[in-house]
Amino acid sequence: MESPPHKLNVGRDEDRISALTDDLLVGILERLDLREAVRASALSSRWRHLPYRLSRLHLEVGHFQGATPLEVMDAFTGAAQRLLSLVVPLAEGEGGSAAIIPIKALVLSFYMSPPHLSAIGRTVEDAVSYGKTEYLEFSISLPRGSNASLLAEFGQQFMSFSQAYPVAFWWLTRLTLKNLVFGHSDVTELINACNKLKHLTLSSCRLVDQRSALRIDTPCSGLRRLDCIRFRCERIELISVPELRTVLCCSRHYENPPVRFGDVPQLCHVNLGYLAKVSQAPFMLSECLSRSSRNLSKLNLNFFSQTIWIQPEQPKRLTAIFRNLTDMYLFGIFPECDLSWTLFILEAAPALRNFKSLDSAVHSCRCG
């Protein structure tokens, strides 16, 4: 129910915006950057309580100051705890009890700082406890200057964090992790624990044993997009991810083929960027793509102006996979390259509308 207008005698020179209802004012503030919203609210006692009524919040650790990463995280965590308080103070002059404002959308971008994880976990679990949260995103990275020898320890601390606060991770819809080291089954366990997860990004992460494959077997997950950017392992094997629609895989450290797609019947878009070694033999797309991927419509391949790592093959081996392919883009093809090897793709894709070869690798990590 819309809150009543705040009682003001609005004259010619008075602030007519402040005479609007709280609901309208909150709607205005939610269209601003959070820092701007807080600054605006500090200008008037009429607006001072409004940041606590915001149902959509984005807290970015880079917006906080401190002499050390710990001090920055102290400021970040304190702000999160204040803004995510469910009991909201009323404006001056308002009667009745304080209101409860459920969080509908929450984005938290913060450092992997073990002293602060429990406070963040408890605060988020309190915020989602009313069951009204539609979107929850974590973006977690390491502070600058972190000791590279401790990356595996940070990875273990992150997994402990996810296990200690299962309610928070159950509500996650998007998760971005940077510079963490994972055990053999950590990623699968993480996806299975995040019941609502739709988009997972693993950037500059790796497995403890980089000579092993990252295997993802999550037949009950709702994951729709997976981005693996500079993920260091032997290869990525998507054994079963039935709701997966978009995959971005961009790295230099894979064996052939760099990705193997298993049960991914909803797969639509694939963006594969790979810098092959001269000693590596090319592979056939049919070794990589799955016959269950009958909905594949867009395929981007990036060669980084180096070795062509695709082996031409009989078109009929790809016809079932490429029957709905409409867009094919080849990036990082040097100008002198003979493109006759691509003819098998044209023959295997009867619905193809756009086929382009570009010598630039600018778009290597874009997919959509």
Side-chain angles (χ1 to χ4, degrees), residues 133 169-174 194-199 222:
T133 304
F169 279 81
W170 191 90
W171 282 91
L172 270 182
T173 50
R174 182 171 181 178
C194 299
N195 188 71
K196 294 180 177 292
L197 190 64
K198 304 299 181 187
H199 187 172

Side-chain angles (χ1 to χ4, degrees), residues 283-296:
F283 63 90
M284 294 184 289
L285 285 174
S286 60
E287 298 176 46
C288 171
L289 299 171
S290 170
R291 290 185 178 274
S292 73
S293 306
R294 301 297 181 94
N295 295 303
L296 185 65

Side-chain angles (χ1 to χ4, degrees), residues 119-132:
I120 292 172
R122 288 194 304 269
T123 300
V124 172
E125 290 199 340
D126 288 344
V128 301
S129 62
Y130 279 79
K132 302 294 184 181

Side-chain angles (χ1 to χ4, degrees), residues 58 102 128 136 154 164 185 210 212 253 274 278 298 315-316 333 335:
H58 182 170
V128 301
L136 176 61
F154 278 120
S185 61
Q210 298 180 50
S212 61
H253 303 280
Y274 171 47
V278 176
K298 185 172 183 179
K316 64 181 180 180
I333 299 286

Side-chain angles (χ1 to χ4, degrees), residues 34-35 37-38 41 48-59 64 75-88 101 103 106 108 123 127:
L34 182 58
R35 290 182 297 175
V38 172
S41 67
R48 196 164 297 154
H49 70 295
L50 294 178
Y52 299 95
R53 299 181 65 94
L54 297 175
S55 63
R56 302 178 185 276
L57 293 172
H58 182 170
L59 280 174
F64 293 85
F76 173 90
T77 305
Q81 290 174 318
R82 290 191 297 274
L83 289 170
L84 292 174
S85 298
L86 291 177
V87 179
V88 179
I101 307 298
I103 297 297
L106 176 61
L108 296 180
T123 300

